[in-house]
Amino acid sequence: MTTQQLLEQIQRKKSFLCVGLDVDLTKIPAFLLEEEDPIFSFNKAIIDATHDLAVAYKPNIAFFEAYGIKGWESLKKTIAYIKENYPDLFTIADAKRGDIGNTASMYAQAFFEDMAFDSVTVAPYMGKDSVEPFLAFENKHTILLALTSNEGAFDFQTKLIDGEPLYKKVIQTSQTYKNAANLMYVVGATKAEYFKDIRQVVPNSFLLVPGVGAQGGSLRDVCQYGLADNVGLLINSSRGIIYASNQADFAARAREEALKMQSEMQAILNDRF
């Protein structure tokens, strides 16, 4: 999917919502455990209930890998279902891969070709040759970890290197990589005050923003500092939407929560554009 196609979907739906699929079998409705594939059944219901309100879905790969081959099969079925039924949706493999050379190429092949994801999250610690193999894929996007929403982000990401915080150095350096136009960045909503500086470096790059909702991040604050001329934001919500209920009404409740976010996004877009 091209960035322009993603933007067109945002404009059409008046939404920049990304729904995170972090499927924990101890949290989904108990009756789904009787299904042949509880993970896929849960995902399908969530997607069907929210697809017109969201522009992207982000399976957290760990929540599928934890269940071995069955979990991996559920993941593959989930992405195939999206591609077949809602092909305009942007898909993100939240895999946080980061290795060099042929290993990075194999990771990229796994997610972009075999699984047919539109994008994958990548850790930048090993540098240029751990990122460029992902960037080599046409109309695929590499979402680089820049400033994350967790407490431990302050251990390294905000430390000064030659007078600049490390996260800013990461963004600046990555812009020199081959096919850097295919880069997006992870920036946590709990660090909203940093968005202004980030936009000075990448004024129109898309930012994947976790941390709104359950982690305490504010949508209004993120948009105040992070909204770009091309919108440039994908706001992720996982637990706040998919676990709004663990009863038979779980999909309907998920839709209610997604609609609340979409409505707030629509109001922000109407004010800005």
Side-chain angles (χ1 to χ4, degrees), residues 23-225:
V23 187
D24 184 339
L25 290 180
T26 67
K27 294 181 179 179
I28 70 174
F31 72 88
L32 288 178
L33 299 177
E34 300 175 6
E35 298 277 342
E36 180 180 354
D37 189 339
I39 295 174
F40 174 68
S41 295
F42 178 80
N43 286 342
K44 179 180 179 297
I46 294 292
I47 294 164
D48 286 343
T50 61
H51 69 91
D52 58 321
L53 304 172
V55 298
Y57 287 86
K58 181 180 72 64
N60 187 322
I61 303 305
F63 284 80
F64 296 85
E65 290 177 324
Y67 299 106
I69 187 66
K70 289 184 178 180
W72 200 255
E73 289 171 349
S74 299
L75 174 63
K76 199 163 187 175
K77 286 166 64 177
T78 297
I79 298 306
Y81 183 78
I82 291 173
K83 295 299 181 184
E84 181 177 350
N85 294 277
Y86 311 111
D88 62 333
L89 290 168
F90 187 72
T91 55
I92 302 168
D94 191 2
K96 300 180 179 71
R97 298 299 194 252
D99 211 328
I100 57 173
N102 288 338
T103 307
S105 295
M106 291 297 105
Y107 280 137
Q109 182 178 322
F111 290 109
F112 290 152
E113 292 185 349
D114 181 55
M115 302 292 287
F117 276 96
D118 295 307
S119 63
V120 61
T121 57
V122 172
Y125 191 79
M126 294 183 73
K128 177 180 180 178
D129 47 341
S130 68
V131 178
E132 286 191 338
F134 292 92
L135 294 173
F137 285 75
E138 186 176 3
N139 293 332
K140 300 291 186 177
H141 304 271
T142 302
I143 308 179
L144 215 59
L145 301 181
L147 185 60
T148 54
S149 58
N150 61 307
E151 183 179 348
F154 295 105
D155 288 351
F156 302 111
Q157 295 169 25
T158 57
K159 300 300 183 186
L160 297 183
I161 307 294
D162 298 328
E164 296 270 29
L166 179 58
Y167 75 84
K168 199 169 182 179
K169 285 283 189 182
V170 166
I171 297 172
Q172 290 170 337
T173 301
S174 70
Q175 284 293 297
T176 70
Y177 295 168
K178 187 176 182 180
N179 298 323
N182 293 338
L183 281 169
M184 299 179 176
Y185 299 92
V186 174
V187 182
T190 52
K191 312 289 192 301
E193 65 273 20
Y194 293 93
F195 277 78
K196 187 175 181 180
D197 282 345
I198 290 170
R199 279 304 185 204
Q200 291 177 355
V201 183
V202 283
N204 292 306
S205 294
F206 265 85
L207 308 179
L208 173 63
V209 185
V212 170
Q215 294 185 52
S218 163
L219 177 61
R220 286 279 175 180
D221 287 347
V222 168
C223 290
Q224 178 182 350
Y225 299 109

